[in-house]
Amino acid sequence: MDPKRWLALTVLLVATFMDLLDANIITVAIPSIQRDLGASAVAVQAMTAGYTLSFAVLLITGGRLGDIFGRKRMFLTGVAGFVVASALCAAAQNTEMLVASRALQGLAAAIMVPQVLALIHVTFAPQEVGRVVSLYASMIGLAIVSGPVVGGALVDWSPLGLGWRSIFVVNLPVGVAALIGAWKWMRESNSPHAKRLDIIGMLLAIVGLLLLMLPLTLGRELDWPLWSIVALVAAAPVIALFVVYERHKTRKDGSPLVTLSLFKVRAFGAGIGVQLLFSAIPAGFFLSWTLYLQGGLGWSALHTGLTAIPFSICVPLVGGLAVRKLFPLYGRYCLMAGALSMLAGIASYAWMARHEGADITSWHAIPSMLLLGSGMGLLMPPLTALVLREVTPQEAGAASGIINATGQLGAALGVAVISGVFFSALASNAGPEADRVVPAVRAVAPQQAEAVKTCATDSLGQDDLSKVPRSCTELAENGDRGSQGVVSGALGEIRAKTFVSTYSETLYWAAGGLVPVTGLLFLLPHHRVRREEMA
């Protein structure tokens, strides 16, 4: 065995931490980015969905590149690209540059991340893999915990006056250290049966996914123009063509981008469906949650990040217990308990947000966050093991790539759909909330009431929530100094109540998304996994 394998593992875990931290850290910085760069709601979605989408579409290809050209070489290439992209994100002068740099980060991560599990597999003896995977899972949990907290701290403290840019600058020293460590301690490896790179399949997959995701991300903001409808319709034949070509590629030389025969395995096919739908829920939940707390209730980024700690701690702790004990004993019932726990967590948070209103605190969120974290821990780690259980060893690499890609695509879909619901509801709820608030504020003159309502609906119905619409400017100019404080207080109350009602409404939609997830779990094999297989 390689005597430097544990040092190499340290590098792999650091790279895993860097990727997951970057995927989670930007959420708490979104309001700061909006204020600084004037980012619209579309840009906010593009920053998050752009990373996950570009990551997802090249994950399987990235793994195949490692098989062909060497996993160490591709790992170094991916880390170097990630560092360069992080520097570009930190230097972004406008939203277009930031969105493009985030997409480049996703592309680099797609080259880097698939090599991690592949290198673990070829570097460690079978009896060591269980311990290594446990460390890998712990690092994932640590990144989930650290993301919101580190992001909130960096945004609030703004080291060297960098503000939100510091969340990207932090990747530079970490990435350079990973490059040096990988160069010194990691040994090269590739597949003895490496397949050809499926260029046509890769292009068809990218085009099909873009035709699907771009309308979902931009359609609502642009009032669903004709091109968005055409793109959605065109996605179906492109994806169908991809499937036909992959079958042809399999018959021709046995080197398709996606091994379609994997989907004939019951556990794999149903598990991928669960993965796709389930991954959408937490991604959309946390984006809308951040906007609600920071944009609506005025919480700081650090306060928001600290509120997520119960969730972040529960995921690795309960996940480890589920893999070691609960899943071997109860099989798919463990997964169902996870889905139901998450549903209860989302529904309870929706009720609590509505009940407590603007007075909600981090303490109120603890029970719901514990249910959410426990549910994810009960479902995700055992699901991955169950999906791979019936996959033959020669197909394990491709299967792992498909699972990771599906998770990322689900996250991008969740960001597009759930945040779309959030922004749409925000615009429609502003008027009714204003009608309830303004009459109760006696100090608001009758002639100002309609102007206050117009200002509230205009400010909450626009793409960029940080901008001041003309109606609000005119309201401030026409009012006397004595009434300005009263009007400002009324507008603040309308904003807070609108965000509260909107977020509660959005959460009920998110909870509904877990219903089909629970139904799909019944399609999974019922047999339990033996303890020695989970070691």
Side-chain angles (χ1 to χ4, degrees):
M1 298 300 295
D2 184 0
K4 297 180 180 180
R5 64 190 184 280
W6 293 104
L7 293 172
L9 175 64
T10 302
V11 176
L12 294 174
L13 295 180
V14 167
T16 300
F17 179 83
M18 180 174 66
D19 167 58
L20 290 170
L21 182 70
D22 204 73
N24 289 285
I25 203 173
I26 192 172
T27 306
V28 295
I30 285 174
S32 298
I33 295 173
Q34 285 183 299
R35 288 192 297 270
D36 188 21
L37 299 182
S40 66
V42 175
V44 167
Q45 294 182 37
M47 281 176 224
T48 51
Y51 179 93
T52 53
L53 182 59
S54 61
F55 181 35
V57 298
L58 284 180
L59 262 174
I60 302 172
T61 301
R64 193 60 52 86
L65 287 172
D67 291 339
I68 298 172
F69 299 109
R71 299 181 181 107
K72 175 181 177 179
R73 180 179 299 173
M74 288 298 101
F75 180 80
L76 291 170
T77 301
V79 173
F82 198 88
V83 170
V84 171
S86 297
L88 291 174
C89 287
Q93 299 301 305
N94 51 57
T95 55
E96 292 79 10
M97 182 177 177
L98 182 56
V99 169
S101 300
R102 283 285 290 170
L104 182 60
Q105 270 190 317
L107 296 178
I111 297 174
M112 172 182 70
V113 170
Q115 318 311 327
V116 174
L117 288 178
L119 284 164
I120 287 174
H121 178 69
V122 301
T123 303
F124 290 88
Q127 62 270 24
E128 295 176 324
V129 170
R131 179 183 174 190
V132 173
V133 170
S134 297
L135 292 172
Y136 177 76
S138 298
M139 185 59 67
I140 292 175
L142 180 61
I144 294 173
V145 172
S146 302
V149 177
V150 172
L154 289 173
V155 170
D156 282 357
W157 296 338
S158 185
L160 302 178
L162 292 171
W164 60 265
R165 300 177 192 275
S166 59
I167 70 173
F168 299 110
V169 173
V170 73
N171 292 331
L172 306 186
V174 176
V176 170
L179 283 171
I180 296 172
W183 183 264
K184 291 178 60 177
W185 301 321
M186 196 176 291
R187 68 175 184 177
E188 185 59 279
S189 69
N190 52 29
S191 173
H193 306 292
K195 299 177 181 180
R196 297 185 183 93
L197 189 60
D198 182 7
I199 299 294
I200 296 178
M202 181 181 70
L203 292 175
L204 285 172
I206 291 173
V207 171
L209 291 169
L210 287 177
L211 287 173
L212 179 64
M213 293 305 300
L214 282 177
L216 291 175
T217 304
L218 302 175
R220 183 191 65 83
E221 302 296 337
L222 301 177
D223 197 24
W224 294 102
L226 179 61
W227 69 261
S228 65
I229 305 301
V230 172
L232 282 172
V233 173
V238 172
I239 293 172
L241 180 60
F242 169 75
V243 173
V244 171
Y245 180 79
E246 293 302 280
R247 288 175 177 170
H248 165 73
K249 186 72 170 173
T250 301
R251 292 191 299 267
K252 180 181 178 182
D253 56 19
S255 58
L257 181 67
V258 173
T259 307
L260 297 177
S261 60
L262 288 171
F263 292 93
K264 296 180 180 179
V265 179
R266 179 184 171 190
F268 189 88
I272 287 298
V274 173
Q275 178 91 356
L276 177 65
L277 291 179
F278 177 77
S279 298
I281 306 303
F285 170 85
F286 279 109
L287 176 62
S288 57
W289 177 72
T290 301
L291 293 171
Y292 148 71
L293 290 180
Q294 296 187 49
L297 302 186
W299 288 22
S300 69
L302 180 58
H303 188 181
T304 303
L306 291 173
T307 306
I309 286 180
F311 167 86
S312 303
I313 291 176
C314 274
V315 173
L317 291 180
V318 177
L321 177 65
V323 170
R324 293 192 312 271
K325 303 289 184 182
L326 301 178
F327 184 55
L329 288 173
Y330 304 109
R332 71 184 183 193
Y333 291 125
C334 174
L335 310 182
M336 292 176 182
L340 293 175
S341 176
M342 285 205 72
L343 194 155
I346 293 175
S348 64
Y349 205 125
W351 179 86
M352 184 63 67
R354 173 76 73 170
H355 183 263
E356 295 297 332
D359 296 325
I360 194 170
T361 67
S362 297
W363 296 106
H364 291 119
I366 288 177
S368 299
M369 284 295 179
L370 291 175
L371 285 169
L372 285 165
S374 299
M376 182 170 284
L378 287 169
L379 200 155
M380 287 308 297
L383 176 65
T384 303
L386 180 60
V387 169
L388 289 174
R389 185 180 187 276
E390 298 179 27
V391 174
T392 58
Q394 59 267 31
E395 294 177 331
S400 298
I402 294 171
I403 292 169
N404 287 328
T406 301
Q408 293 301 318
L409 287 173
L413 183 63
V415 166
V417 174
I418 295 179
S419 62
V421 170
F422 180 87
F423 282 111
S424 294
L426 192 68
S428 62
N429 288 336
E433 291 296 342
D435 287 335
R436 282 188 282 268
V437 171
V438 173
V441 183
R442 296 182 179 178
V444 175
Q447 61 269 26
Q448 285 184 310
E450 190 61 32
V452 170
K453 178 181 177 180
T454 302
C455 171
T457 53
D458 287 349
S459 61
L460 294 173
Q462 58 187 353
D463 292 343
D464 184 359
L465 298 177
S466 64
K467 289 184 177 179
V468 179
R470 182 176 180 81
S471 57
C472 295
T473 303
E474 292 176 349
L475 177 63
E477 292 174 349
N478 295 333
D480 58 78
R481 291 185 178 181
S483 65
Q484 284 182 357
V486 175
V487 170
S488 177
L491 289 172
E493 186 177 354
I494 294 170
R495 183 182 183 92
K497 290 189 174 182
T498 302
F499 267 89
V500 167
S501 60
T502 295
Y503 186 59
S504 299
E505 182 179 329
T506 303
L507 287 195
Y508 287 126
W509 281 99
L514 286 167
V515 174
V517 170
T518 306
L520 280 175
L521 291 174
F522 283 97
L523 300 178
L524 292 170
H526 184 54
H527 58 258
R528 298 172 177 85
V529 179
R530 294 186 296 272
R531 293 178 185 272
E532 58 270 20
E533 293 176 318
M534 300 299 296

